[in-house]
């Protein structure tokens, strides 16, 4: 139980005190009424004796009584009504509350935070320490109250208002004060009248109430004298008369009212009465929350006061006193619920408020001085010493003597107590064995009752030893007679007496109490007496620290008949659990919940709320969500009833925001309740700030902000640029690519340097983007904020009128700051337009994003604060069993059941900082400014549309499309560029109009190429043209990826649109290609904040296989040339159709093969005669051979200007001009990757060439710079229509004899090698050129007759002249040694070729200048006919200025065979 102000040793004697009746004349009553008090009330503060009192027991032993208190009350002839007692108890409990504000403050905090004590010792067992912490929190929490004053008030009132009964005498009147005034005409006559009246009430059978202890009640005569108004002499003389008549022991003169009440304001006199009157006066109690609590006062009462003693001035039956009705009597007409089993909570008809008002200003005892106070105190002392105690002492002796004589006992009871104490007990029968004889009544003279009377008298004067022995005897007698009510009473008091005995000679017999409680409750059906037993026994057990037994006892008496009693006892039981040696915190909490529930049923709303709040501290945060929900729901309801609306909102909020495990129907109910309470709160302050709503959840970090207009949908053949949109997923790789593209174009615009102020453009900000700077938005362009909502409930939420909440600070960035800073919250639409979503439905447990727009109309700083909306549910969305929403609730307007307006803030935590040491060691977060854009001046806005843009192409296929550029802003734009990582995919045509064909309808089959019709005669010969790569934006050092868009006049005016042709070429690899275009543009008028803008487009192209082209080039041995110069080459081209006919391709026609080079050109086709058509069906291969010659000097001389010579060999009747767009464009684009590499320049140092230079020169001999372009058409059947596709493939030939391909080769992974654990001896790379390279340094050619006839019979030696041509392929001087002494050593060679001899000089040393051709005349001598190989001369070469000689034999690859015939 909770701690009490009084100890149990003080509580019990104060609860059982001698009762004295008071009977006053009207005049005496009038005198006390001047102080707003009745006579009994006047004595109340002074009713405890200030000194010890002595009396003698029947054995003449001196007995000391300490702190004796007497109870004086007016005589009331009607027993109190149970309904009225219940009402009084209810009011007492509701009037006693914990200090105001504690509960409310804690709840208002939202989550009932408690102070956690640092001193709490944590035990090692985790669950124990958990509860220990909770316990410490609870004990130190402001919510936990160790004392329960409402319970103590209830107990005191309950014990005082117990009706007197026949089976016990503790509250029967022992004496009666008869009070008359000295102002009476005949005071003595008045005394005798009062005496007769008392006698009549006690002995007349008409009056069964009140009860009197013994027939000859002590009468004590009191004369009241009004000092300020009365005659003192007269009073003294009357008093003398009284003394003679009644004896000095039986009367008293009490002087009061030493001052008049109108002088009361002069000095402040203490008012000891108010505390007593407040407890006893019904109308002083708090009125109830659910209806004014009222009582019916007597109609004729002049002061309109009704106190416990029920005084008024009406005279009935000629008698001056009013003892007709008990003050707890209820007006029968007004209260139907005064039957025994009526509810605790009694309401009456008339209101108390007037009475309360009247009561508050009243000063009690206004006519009394401090001297008067002392006189009253003296009077009580005198009465007790001279009157009451002697009377009690005498009565005890008489009863003792009677008992001895009646029972025939040999000695007095008192001397026999030793025998009883020794414990020779009679075995007691159990309750169940006893017959139900509770109805047995003893006559008043019965000896059993005399023992009980004596026991009660001894108990009242604190003689507990004697009382115990008497109770024990009476108990046996009653049990023998099976008078169960009497027996239970004796058991109860025997137990209490045993406990209170000084020196504690025996343990407290708790089983006596248990038996008494069971008897009262089950046999006598008297819950009031059972309750008294429980209250006393529980206090005694608590004082012995037997909390567990006390709790069990308290819980036993909770029942359905009284909610208030059950609530109080459950609460005390809960306190028992928490005060145990090892506290039971969960039991405490559980019983607090039960108590709260019963308080609630009893109408004690404040107490119910307090109990639930106290229990919540234990249940909170333990994961018992259903329990928390129940408690929060009840707290919410009770707080709402008590009009603590903030607390109610907070409690309901808790139910909704924790991950609820409730059913859908239950959640729906919680939500409706919450909305209802919230609505009431918001109605109280309609102009106040918007409240924060708990639902739906917002994932702030997932908020995305998009600057700009939404993308337009595709319109027929028109497709808008993909740009950036909120529908795109974030991809770190692609965002990095876009960033690199933007840096590339910015670098080109700024002459190769990225300015320090450059920051990549971000149109969409999310949790991955860099949000450390304030983003820039452009005035008149919308800002879209995507808010991620989540509905944690199983019921759908409907948000209506959803919009963004913002504040805006208009600023002029160009000049001074605008001094007036407007904070526009709900917004002025002329500054910032706000889009409102009228309905936004989030289904149960759904996550959904809402996109909300703002339209800035002014420059300045914008801060997006959060969202504002009405929260509601859909009416009828739940089916009866709460399964789900009704069909059709998603369409059209939803009917809102109830909604409240509120807001939620968007607060985004920035990234954790981790750069400096300080940041690493502490937790710091950077800013996230995605919701604070700066609105800048207007900028141009470009929109790009692609017309006839393909989605699928063959590899190498050329297609013409159109791009439309539209300026949709009010500013002109300029410097339009496009950058892409795949420049070989598209072109806008050359720089000069001549090179760009006008329209695709220029030829017979709508070719994308520029074509010229040719006559069939010039089929095999090449047609020559030339073009400069600079014209196509390609040159050494330029950025081929950045392509300026050829806008007319380079400016696009507001509202203007331009269509430009764009040629596309399918990439060489098959598959899906994502190609990124970034369009860059600037405003004509330079802006300080935004320098440029970009627009992105990602084209997705799917390519399928077409042709594979492989080519090789080798030197031609023939030296015939138009100019007789060496250097012809043969080009072999293999074309394979690898198309698998998926695209419906029937066949490919090779329509033209062109070459492009600075040095070489194709001259003619070698083997065209067999395959004039050049058709390739599926999986077919074709082989072509072409002759290539060096360009003429004048053509070659122009190479410095990046001019390339184009030569076209045509297989059809139409020439495609390969030096014009788009053929040349794509050719140059395919070259651009090569051109990006810096060319190796010859190093012409003054000192001699290094070895590396020599190697490089030798390498150059084997290099050839020839590029082949194969142009083709493909015939495709699609939907029974024949289409002609066209395209081109490029092969770049770099090295003689090495095969080149049109498609990228897969790199084969090198095989794994074993690890070597030693250092290779020679790490230097060999600087000797390879045999391959040296063999290409000098080209040799033998000129001789194929057959030679010689008459061997005439001349035995046959001499044949042979010319050896030596051609220097390098650009340096070469020393050559020709050695003819070569002998073939291999026998096979001898066999085949036979033997011959060179005549003349055997070794020649020559020097060949750069690209010089030299001829040597040799003679060969044969002696037989036969076939001979003349390719035996060994040729050695070295660079002239090289010290180190690289010599290797220049073997001819092909045998030079000669036939010698005999004539």
């Amino acid at each position: 139980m909770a701690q009490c102000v009084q100890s149990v040793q003080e509580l019990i004697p104060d609860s059982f005190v001698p009762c004295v009746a008071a009977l006053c004349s009207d005049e005496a009553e009038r005198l006390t009424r001047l102080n707003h008090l009745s006579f009994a009330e006047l004595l109340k503060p002074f009713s405890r004796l200030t000194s010890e009192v002595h009396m003698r027991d029947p054995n003449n032993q001196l007995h000391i009584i300490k702190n004796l208190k007497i109870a004086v009350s007016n005589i009331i002839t009607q027993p109190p009504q149970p309904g009225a007692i219940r009402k009084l108890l209810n009011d007492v409990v509701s009037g006693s509350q914990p200090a105001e504000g504690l509960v409310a403050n804690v709840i208002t905090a939202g989550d009932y935070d408690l102070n956690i004590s640092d001193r709490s010792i944590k035990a090692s067992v985790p669950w124990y320490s958990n509860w220990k912490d909770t316990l410490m929190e609870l004990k130190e929490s402001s919510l936990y109250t160790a004392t329960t004053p409402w319970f103590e008030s209830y107990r005191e009132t309950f014990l005082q208002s117990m009706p007197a009964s026949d089976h016990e005498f503790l509250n029967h009147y022992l004496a009666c004060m008869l009070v008359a005034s000295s102002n009476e005409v005949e005071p003595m006559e008045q005394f005798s009248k009062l005496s007769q009246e008392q006698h009549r009430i006690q002995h007349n059978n008409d009056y069964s109430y009140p009860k009197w202890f013994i027939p000859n009640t002590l009468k004590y005569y009191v004369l009241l004298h009004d000092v300020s108004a009365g005659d003192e002499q007269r009073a003294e003389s009357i008093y003398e008369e009284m003394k003679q008549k009644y004896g000095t022991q039986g009367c008293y003169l009490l002087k009061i009212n030493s001052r008049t009440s109108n002088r009361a304001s002069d000095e402040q006199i203490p008012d000891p009465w108010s505390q007593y009157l407040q407890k006893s006066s019904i109308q002083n109690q708090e009125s109830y929350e659910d209806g004014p609590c009222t009582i019916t006062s007597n109609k004729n009462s002049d002061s309109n006061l009704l106190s416990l003693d029920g005084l008024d001035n009406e005279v009935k039956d000629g008698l001056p006193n009013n003892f007709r009705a008990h003050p707890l009597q209820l007006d029968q007409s007004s209260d139907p619920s005064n039957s025994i089993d009526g509810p605790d909570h009694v309401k009456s008809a008339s209101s108390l408020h007037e009475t309360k008002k009247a009561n508050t200003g009243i000063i009690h005892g206004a006519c009394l001085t401090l001297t008067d106070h002392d006189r009253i105190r003296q009077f009580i002392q005198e009465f007790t010493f001279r009157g009451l105690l002697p009377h009690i002492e005498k009565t005890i002796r008489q009863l003792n003597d009677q008992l001895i004589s009646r029972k025939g006992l040999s000695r007095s009871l008192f001397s026999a107590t030793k025998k009883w104490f020794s414990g020779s007990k009679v075995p007691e029968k159990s309750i169940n064995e006893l017959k139900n004889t509770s109805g047995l009544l003893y006559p008043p003279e019965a000896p059993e009752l005399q023992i009980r009377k004596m026991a009660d008298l001894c108990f009242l004067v604190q003689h507990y030893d004697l009382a115990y022995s008497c109770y024990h005897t009476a108990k046996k007698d009653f049990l023998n007679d099976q008078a169960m009510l009497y027996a239970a009473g004796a058991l109860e008091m025997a137990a209490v007496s045993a406990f209170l005995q000084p020196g504690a000679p025996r343990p407290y017999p708790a089983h006596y109490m248990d038996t008494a409680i069971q008897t009262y409750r089950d046999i006598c059906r008297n819950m009031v007496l059972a309750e008294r037993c429980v209250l006393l026994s529980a206090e005694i057990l608590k004082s012995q620290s037997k909390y567990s037994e006390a709790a069990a006892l308290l819980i036993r008496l909770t029942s359905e008949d009284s909610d208030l009693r059950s609530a109080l006892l459950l609460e005390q039981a809960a306190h028992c659990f928490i005060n145990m040696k090892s506290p039971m915190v969960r039991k405490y909490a559980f019983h607090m919940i039960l108590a709260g529930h019963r308080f609630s049923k009893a109408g004690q709303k404040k107490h119910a709320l307090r109990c639930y709040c106290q229990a919540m501290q234990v249940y909170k945060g333990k994961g018992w969500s259903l329990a928390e929900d129940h408690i929060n729901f009840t707290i919410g309801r009770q707080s709402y009833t008590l009009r603590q609306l903030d607390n109610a909102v907070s409690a309901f909020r808790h139910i909704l925001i924790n991950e609820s495990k409730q059913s859908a129907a239950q959640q729906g109910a919680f939500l409706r309740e919450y909305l209802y309470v919230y609505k009431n709160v918001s109605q109280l302050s309609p102009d106040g700030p918007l409240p924060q709503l708990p639902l739906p959840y917002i994932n702030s970090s997932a908020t995305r902000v998009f600057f700009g207009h939404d993308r337009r949908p595709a319109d027929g053949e028109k497709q808008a640029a993909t740009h950036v949109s909120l529908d795109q997923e974030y991809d770190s790789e692609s965002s990095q690519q876009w960033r690199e593209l933007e840096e590339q174009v910015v670098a080109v615009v700024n002459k190769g340097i990225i300015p320090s102020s450059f920051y990549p453009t971000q149109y969409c900000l999310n949790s991955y983007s860099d949000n450390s700077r304030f983003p820039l938005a452009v005035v008149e362009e919308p800002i879209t904020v995507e808010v991620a909502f989540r509905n944690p409930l199983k019921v759908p939420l409907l948000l209506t009128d959803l919009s963004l909440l913002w504040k805006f600070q208009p600023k002029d960035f160009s000049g001074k700051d605008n001094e007036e800073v407007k904070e526009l919250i709900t917004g002025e639409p002329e500054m910032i337009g706000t889009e409102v979503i009228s309905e936004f439905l989030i289904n149960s447990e759904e996550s959904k994003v809402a996109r909300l727009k703002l339209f800035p109309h002014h420059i300045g700083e914008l801060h997006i604060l959060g969202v504002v909306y009405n929260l509601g549910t859909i009416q009828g969305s739940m089916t009866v069993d709460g399964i789900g929403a009704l069909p059709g609730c998603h369409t059209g307007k939803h009917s809102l059941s109830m909604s409240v307006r509120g807001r939620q803030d968007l607060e985004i935590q920035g990234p954790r900082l981790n750069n400096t040491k300080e940041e690493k060691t502490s937790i710091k977060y950077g800013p996230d400014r995605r919701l604070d854009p700066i609105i800048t001046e207007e900028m141009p806005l470009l929109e790009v549309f692609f017309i006839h843009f393909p989605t699928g192409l063959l590899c190498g296929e050329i297609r013409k499309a159109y791009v439309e550029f539209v300026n949709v802003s009010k500013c002109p734009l300029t410097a339009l560029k496009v950058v892409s990582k795949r420049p070989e995919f598209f072109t806008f045509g050359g720089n000069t109009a001549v090179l760009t064909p006008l329209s695709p309808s220029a030829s017979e089959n709508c070719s994308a190429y520029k074509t010229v019709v040719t006559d069939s005669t010039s089929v095999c010969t090449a047609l020559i043209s030339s073009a400069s790569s600079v014209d196509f934006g390609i040159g050494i050092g330029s950025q081929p990826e950045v392509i300026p868009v050829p806008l007319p006049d380079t400016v696009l005016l507001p509202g203007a649109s331009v269509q430009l042709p764009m040629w596309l070429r399918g990439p060489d690899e098959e598959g899906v290609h994502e190609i990124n275009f970034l369009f860059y543009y600037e405003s004509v008028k330079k802006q300080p904040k935004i320098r440029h803008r970009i627009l992105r487009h990602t084209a997705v192209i799917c390519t399928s296989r077409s042709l594979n082209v492989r080519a090789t080039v080798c030197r031609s041995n023939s030296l015939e040339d138009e100019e007789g110069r060496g250097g012809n080459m043969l080009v072999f081209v293999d074309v394979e159709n690898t198309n698998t006919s998926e695209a419906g391709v029937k066949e490919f026609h090779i329509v033209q093969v062109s070459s492009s080079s600075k040095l070489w050109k194709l001259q003619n086709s070698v083997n065209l005669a067999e395959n004039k058509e050049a058709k390739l069906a599926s999986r077919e291969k074709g082989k072509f051979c072409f002759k290539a010659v060096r360009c003429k000097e004048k053509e070659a001389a122009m190479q410095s200007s990046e001019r390339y010579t184009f030569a076209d060999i045509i297989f059809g009747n139409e020439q495609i001009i390969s030096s014009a767009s788009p053929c040349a464009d794509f050719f140059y684009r395919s070259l651009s990757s090569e051109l990006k590499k810096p060319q190796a320049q010859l190093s012409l140092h003054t000192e001699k060439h290094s070895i590396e230079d020599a190697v490089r020169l030798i390498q150059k001999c084997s290099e050839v710079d020839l590029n082949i372009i194969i142009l083709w058409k493909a015939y495709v059947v699609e939907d029974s229509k024949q289409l002609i596709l066209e395209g081109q493939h490029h092969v770049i030939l770099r090295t003689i004899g090495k095969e080149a391909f049109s498609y990228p080769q897969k790199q084969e992974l090198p095989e794994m090698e074993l690890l070597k654990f030693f250092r290779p001896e020679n790490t230097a790379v060999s600087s000797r050129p390879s045999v391959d390279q040296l063999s290409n340094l000098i080209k040799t050619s033998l000129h001789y007759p194929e057959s030679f006839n010689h008459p061997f019979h005439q001349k035995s030696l046959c001499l044949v002249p042979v010319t050896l041509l030596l051609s220097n392929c390098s650009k340096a001087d070469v020393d050559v040694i020709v050695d003819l002494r070569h002998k073939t050593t291999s026998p096979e060679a001898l066999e085949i070729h036979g033997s011959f001899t060179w005549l003349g000089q055997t070794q020649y040393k020559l020097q060949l200048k750069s690209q010089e051709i030299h001829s040597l005349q040799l003679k060969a001598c044969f002696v037989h006919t036969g076939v001979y190989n003349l390719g035996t001369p060994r040729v050695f070469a070295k660079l002239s200025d090289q010290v180190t000689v690289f010599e290797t034999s220049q073997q001819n690859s092909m045998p030079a065979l000669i036939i010698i015939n005999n004539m």
Side-chain angles (χ1 to χ4, degrees), residues 78-334:
Q78 285 291 333
Q81 293 244 328
I85 294 175
R86 277 199 301 270
K87 167 116 185 51
L88 173 65
L89 292 172
N90 225 330
D91 292 350
V92 164
V93 172
S94 68
S96 174
Q97 296 288 345
E100 196 52 52
L102 280 184
V103 179
N105 287 349
V106 178
I107 306 177
T108 310
D111 48 5
Y112 323 120
D113 283 329
L114 311 169
N115 310 322
I116 296 174
S117 159
D118 293 330
R119 299 187 303 277
S120 62
I121 303 140
K122 291 185 168 55
S124 57
V125 187
W127 58 263
Y128 175 75
S129 70
N130 195 355
W131 286 114
K132 181 95 177 207
D133 290 353
T134 309
L135 177 70
M136 298 307 286
E137 289 176 39
L138 197 61
K139 289 225 167 166
E140 299 190 3
S141 142
S142 50
L143 261 181
Y144 173 76
T145 49
T147 58
T148 45
W150 48 92
F151 171 70
E152 291 174 54
S153 303
Y154 169 86
R155 187 176 58 197
E156 188 184 335
T157 310
F158 170 79
L159 292 169
Q160 282 177 6
S161 63
M162 292 234 10
S165 60
D166 291 326
H167 79 288
E168 61 181 18
F169 304 94
L170 291 161
N171 52 1
H172 291 197
Y173 286 130
L174 278 164
C176 181
M177 291 180 181
L178 305 170
V179 188
S181 163
S182 61
N183 294 355
E184 308 263 3
V185 186
E186 290 290 338
M188 298 305 288
E189 196 181 318
Q190 188 66 44
F191 277 127
S192 51
K193 268 188 185 176
L194 290 171
S195 179
Q196 290 162 16
E197 176 62 26
Q198 188 276 329
H199 190 272
R200 193 170 68 85
I201 289 170
Q202 183 172 352
H203 298 292
N204 194 333
N205 288 336
D206 298 349
Y207 296 101
S208 64
Y209 203 85
K211 308 280 185 190
W212 301 88
F213 208 102
I214 44 175
N216 56 339
T217 306
L218 166 71
K219 291 178 182 164
Y220 195 78
Y221 299 89
V222 182
L223 183 67
L224 270 187
H225 173 63
D226 188 326
V227 177
S228 58
D231 179 353
E232 193 149 341
Q233 300 270 284
R234 183 168 183 253
E236 291 290 347
S237 64
I238 296 168
Y239 181 48
E240 285 302 318
E241 201 180 329
M242 286 167 65
K243 277 194 216 171
Q244 281 163 13
K245 186 173 180 182
Y246 304 122
T248 52
Q249 308 287 324
C251 56
Y252 193 84
L253 170 63
L254 176 61
K255 298 179 180 176
I256 58 168
N257 296 2
S258 298
R259 59 177 190 170
T260 54
S261 59
N262 56 6
R263 281 192 15 252
S265 55
D266 299 351
E267 59 174 315
Q268 282 294 313
I269 297 283
D271 176 3
W273 293 273
S274 55
Q275 53 176 331
Y276 295 100
L277 294 179
Q278 217 151 8
K279 284 181 183 172
S280 62
S281 167
I282 304 173
Q283 60 264 53
N284 275 0
Q285 305 311 327
E286 285 290 319
S287 66
Y288 265 102
E289 264 66 29
D290 42 359
C293 96
T294 58
I295 55 115
T296 314
S297 55
N298 286 331
K299 317 287 182 294
N300 309 335
S301 165
D302 61 343
S303 64
N304 205 16
L305 271 175
L306 181 68
S307 72
L308 255 179
D309 296 311
L311 290 161
D312 75 11
N313 298 331
E314 184 189 346
V315 180
K316 184 182 178 192
D317 299 335
L319 286 172
N321 295 295
N322 62 320
F323 30 71
R324 286 133 317 287
H326 193 280
L328 295 178
Q329 179 81 32
L330 284 165
D331 187 344
Q332 297 289 327
S333 62
S334 71

Side-chain angles (χ1 to χ4, degrees), residues 1015-1031:
D1015 62 343
S1016 56
T1017 55
S1018 62
V1019 162
C1020 295
T1021 329
L1023 300 161
I1024 309 299
S1025 59
S1026 75
S1028 166
S1029 63
V1030 179
D1031 292 341

Side-chain angles (χ1 to χ4, degrees), residues 232-457:
E232 193 149 341
Q233 300 270 284
R234 183 168 183 253
E236 291 290 347
S237 64
I238 296 168
Y239 181 48
E240 285 302 318
E241 201 180 329
M242 286 167 65
K243 277 194 216 171
Q244 281 163 13
K245 186 173 180 182
Y246 304 122
T248 52
Q249 308 287 324
C251 56
Y252 193 84
L253 170 63
L254 176 61
K255 298 179 180 176
I256 58 168
N257 296 2
S258 298
R259 59 177 190 170
T260 54
S261 59
N262 56 6
R263 281 192 15 252
S265 55
D266 299 351
E267 59 174 315
Q268 282 294 313
I269 297 283
D271 176 3
W273 293 273
S274 55
Q275 53 176 331
Y276 295 100
L277 294 179
Q278 217 151 8
K279 284 181 183 172
S280 62
S281 167
I282 304 173
Q283 60 264 53
N284 275 0
Q285 305 311 327
E286 285 290 319
S287 66
Y288 265 102
E289 264 66 29
D290 42 359
C293 96
T294 58
I295 55 115
T296 314
S297 55
N298 286 331
K299 317 287 182 294
N300 309 335
S301 165
D302 61 343
S303 64
N304 205 16
L305 271 175
L306 181 68
S307 72
L308 255 179
D309 296 311
L311 290 161
D312 75 11
N313 298 331
E314 184 189 346
V315 180
K316 184 182 178 192
D317 299 335
L319 286 172
N321 295 295
N322 62 320
F323 30 71
R324 286 133 317 287
H326 193 280
L328 295 178
Q329 179 81 32
L330 284 165
D331 187 344
Q332 297 289 327
S333 62
S334 71
D335 181 41
S337 62
N338 57 359
S339 56
I340 304 283
D341 54 353
D344 286 339
H345 199 90
V346 179
K347 295 184 211 166
S348 304
S350 61
S351 169
L352 269 184
H353 293 306
E354 298 305 314
T355 331
K356 276 179 86 173
K357 276 182 207 154
N359 228 17
T360 48
I362 290 173
I363 299 168
H364 301 290
C367 302
L368 303 175
T369 60
L370 289 173
T371 316
D372 290 337
H373 289 197
D374 291 338
R375 284 176 186 150
I376 298 169
R377 202 174 279 116
Q378 186 63 39
F379 159 63
I380 293 288
Q381 295 271 65
E382 285 292 313
F383 164 71
T384 313
F385 284 12
R386 304 272 178 94
L388 184 62
L389 282 179
H391 174 70
I392 291 174
E393 193 177 319
K394 190 177 79 176
T395 312
I396 290 176
R397 283 175 190 280
Q398 284 175 356
L399 287 168
N400 192 33
D401 295 345
Q402 273 182 9
L403 289 170
I404 292 167
S405 60
R406 282 192 185 174
K407 292 266 185 180
L409 296 170
S410 58
R411 57 194 184 283
S412 80
L413 274 166
F414 189 63
S415 58
T417 53
K418 285 195 178 73
K419 189 178 109 189
W420 293 330
F421 285 177
S422 65
S424 55
K425 293 181 184 171
V426 178
E428 294 172 19
K429 296 172 184 164
S430 77
I431 292 266
N432 300 335
E433 293 171 40
L434 298 168
K435 299 191 290 294
N436 185 358
T437 50
S438 58
L440 175 67
L441 291 173
Y442 291 97
E445 312 78 42
E448 290 87 354
L449 288 192
Q450 304 311 311
I451 298 182
R452 170 75 208 225
K453 267 187 188 170
M454 181 175 164
D456 283 353
L457 266 180

Side-chain angles (χ1 to χ4, degrees), residues 637-680:
R637 277 244 164 126
Q638 301 288 11
S639 303
Y640 178 70
T641 316
L642 295 169
R643 308 309 291 162
Q644 297 177 4
L645 296 179
D646 290 344
N647 302 346
V649 166
S650 157
F652 282 123
R653 180 187 177 95
H654 269 276
I655 310 179
L656 295 176
I657 61 175
N658 294 331
E659 294 294 333
S660 175
K661 297 187 174 69
Q662 301 284 2
S663 67
Q666 191 63 51
Q667 288 182 359
F670 286 162
L671 181 59
R672 283 192 294 278
E673 196 97 16
Y674 172 77
L675 294 173
Y676 177 72
V677 173
Y678 222 122
K679 209 164 184 66
N680 285 324

Side-chain angles (χ1 to χ4, degrees), residues 1217-1270:
I1217 299 173
S1218 56
S1219 59
S1221 282
C1223 181
D1225 292 80
F1226 290 118
F1227 160 67
Y1228 282 129
R1229 297 279 157 84
S1230 70
L1231 267 188
S1232 66
S1233 56
E1234 301 288 329
L1235 283 167
K1236 262 198 284 188
K1237 300 172 188 165
Q1239 299 296 313
Q1241 297 296 320
L1242 293 180
S1243 51
L1244 301 167
H1245 300 306
T1246 48
E1247 70 266 23
K1248 60 182 190 304
H1249 283 317
S1250 67
I1251 297 174
E1252 284 78 13
D1253 288 342
V1255 174
R1256 213 170 292 128
L1257 275 171
I1258 294 170
Q1259 283 171 351
K1260 276 188 82 71
C1261 296
S1262 60
E1263 283 175 11
V1264 60
D1265 181 17
L1266 177 62
N1267 308 294
I1268 306 294
I1269 305 168
I1270 285 74

Side-chain angles (χ1 to χ4, degrees), residues 664-706:
Q666 191 63 51
Q667 288 182 359
F670 286 162
L671 181 59
R672 283 192 294 278
E673 196 97 16
Y674 172 77
L675 294 173
Y676 177 72
V677 173
Y678 222 122
K679 209 164 184 66
N680 285 324
V681 176
S682 53
Q683 279 166 358
L684 292 179
S685 54
D687 304 327
L690 280 174
Q692 293 279 348
L693 292 176
L695 289 173
Y697 290 178
I698 291 181
N699 181 359
S700 290
S701 63
T703 305
R704 299 196 294 163
V705 185
F706 175 69

